[in-house]
Structure formats: C-alpha cells, structure tokens
Amino acid sequence: PAQSTAQQAVQEETIQALFAKAKQMSGVTYDSEILMKEMTIKSKVWTDKGKVKIENTTQNKKFIIIFDGEDMFQYDPSTNTAMKFPIKAMEGKGQQKPNHADYSDYIAPDSLKTLEKVTYEGVKCRVISYNMKNGEGAVKMWVSEEYGFPMRMEMTTKDGEKITTTNKNIKVGSLPPDTFKLPDGAKIQDMSEMMKRMQQKP
C-alpha cells in the first residue's frame, strides 16, 4: 500500500503544479456560463494579479462585481450605483473574494484524482475529480494542461443539485489597470458600517 500512497502523492503534486500555473498567469479574460436548476448565468471575467472583474448577465439584466485587491464592489450599470464591501472585514463571513486560481482552498485533501486526459473544445485537458471541503459536494473538472485553467466544472452539491460551469474564449495577457475601476460618476454606498452592525448582533 505504501507504493500506492507514494504514487498518489506524485499525482497530487502534478495536479497542484497544474493549479500553480493558473496563479502565474499574468492576466486573463474569458467568458463563463453557469447552468443551475432553472437558471443560466452568463459572465465575462477579467482577472489580473489578484484583481477581478465579473460582468454577469441574468435574465437580461447586467451587473458587475469588481474586486480591486482591497474592496469588493457590486455595480449596477443601469443606475450607475455601487455597493462597497470591505473584504478584509468580511474574511470568514461567507463572503469569498472571487478567484479563478485558488481551487486548492476548496479541495478536501486526499480526494484529488486524475481520471483521464482528453481534448475538450480543442484544448488539451486533464480531467480531475475531488470532494469539496466540509462535504459541500463533489466536483469533476476539465483543466487546461497549458494554463492550469478550468475549462469546465461539473459540481454535484450534497443536496444532489448539479451546477455546470463552462469557460471559453480565454485570452491571456496583462490588462490595463483601469479595467478594475468603477466608471466615473458612479455613486458608491459604503456597506462597512452596516456590516459592522450586523456582526455585533448577538
């Protein structure tokens, strides 16, 4: 059995090395589509050096999430207003900063497996599976061999619900800094005080 454990360690190391590639990408833009029960969420995502911008379209309404490295903003283009959430104050409060690269944070150790290598949408991928921490569900993921980037994810939650994410039109390269700025004149509502009050409630 010792040998199989060693083999597994080697295999996990290579999956981690694959994920590490995603963290080293300078900047990336891609289109994402999430399919849930009765809902499809289409997004365009920009990310560079820990900053993230996600433009979501749900039921023909657009809204934008920006994480600029310090704070997270939820921006509504139709009213030019944004809500500002201080990420530092919210760590561990269920509010996750969006990150395409840090899947390892959600993976239950010892559950990672490589299933096969395939070409998916013209991209050489490794298909891996893992269980999420806290028993939240199981995930099957098609990861690009070149960039360590997930092209497709199929998640089955502990309640048996299936959520499928597909990423395409991936472009790699640094992004201009103003990608992660709110438009001029946007009205910003700072939610810090409200968050503090909510946290103080017994």
Side-chain angles (χ1 to χ4, degrees):
Q3 188 193 356
S4 65
T5 314
Q7 273 176 342
Q8 194 181 9
V10 167
Q11 193 181 40
E12 289 197 13
E13 167 56 36
T14 53
I15 295 173
Q16 295 298 355
L18 201 56
F19 283 146
K21 285 183 184 175
K23 293 185 185 185
Q24 286 150 19
M25 287 162 83
S26 54
V28 61
T29 310
Y30 59 96
D31 296 324
S32 180
E33 189 170 288
I34 301 172
L35 284 158
M36 298 196 246
K37 273 183 197 155
E38 273 94 47
M39 199 156 89
T40 303
I41 301 171
K42 292 189 176 187
S43 311
K44 194 167 174 61
V45 183
W46 296 258
T47 171
D48 199 350
K49 299 184 185 66
K51 296 181 178 185
V52 186
K53 173 175 159 183
I54 303 170
E55 185 179 286
N56 283 330
T57 309
T58 324
Q59 290 149 353
N60 295 331
K61 186 164 163 53
K62 222 181 236 189
F63 72 96
I64 294 169
I65 293 169
I66 294 176
F67 173 67
D68 65 5
E70 288 290 322
D71 298 300
M72 192 170 82
F73 298 88
Q74 284 184 4
Y75 174 66
D76 180 347
S78 65
T79 56
N80 200 23
T81 55
M83 290 192 293
K84 175 180 166 182
F85 297 91
I87 286 286
K88 297 229 170 14
M90 292 160 65
E91 299 267 310
K93 303 283 185 301
Q95 188 71 43
Q96 290 288 333
K97 65 179 186 219
N99 193 338
H100 71 287
D102 275 342
Y103 286 102
S104 40
D105 295 351
Y106 308 110
I107 295 173
D110 306 329
S111 71
L112 265 179
K113 284 189 199 71
T114 295
L115 304 176
E116 57 181 338
K117 292 190 178 190
V118 297
T119 301
Y120 174 77
E121 301 273 344
V123 177
K124 285 191 176 134
C125 288
R126 188 185 314 189
V127 185
I128 64 168
S129 67
Y130 62 84
N131 294 324
M132 291 177 72
K133 279 184 184 167
N134 314 328
E136 291 296 321
V139 175
K140 188 174 173 184
M141 190 189 276
W142 284 249
V143 185
S144 147
E145 293 270 4
E146 184 180 2
Y147 295 124
F149 190 85
M151 304 294 294
R152 179 182 175 89
M153 280 172 70
E154 290 176 0
M155 177 178 152
T156 308
T157 67
K158 59 183 179 195
D159 305 325
E161 191 185 334
K162 197 165 181 183
I163 300 167
T164 305
T165 306
T166 39
N167 297 327
K168 49 180 71 142
N169 303 328
I170 294 161
K171 296 182 189 69
V172 177
S174 293
L175 298 168
D178 61 3
T179 304
F180 305 101
K181 286 196 169 75
L182 287 166
D184 289 343
K187 293 190 280 297
I188 298 170
Q189 184 183 359
D190 193 331
M191 306 303 281
S192 328
E193 284 307 311
M194 197 185 97
M195 300 296 301
K196 276 189 202 135
R197 284 203 298 276
M198 281 168 63
Q199 284 162 26
Q200 282 160 6
K201 280 184 183 165

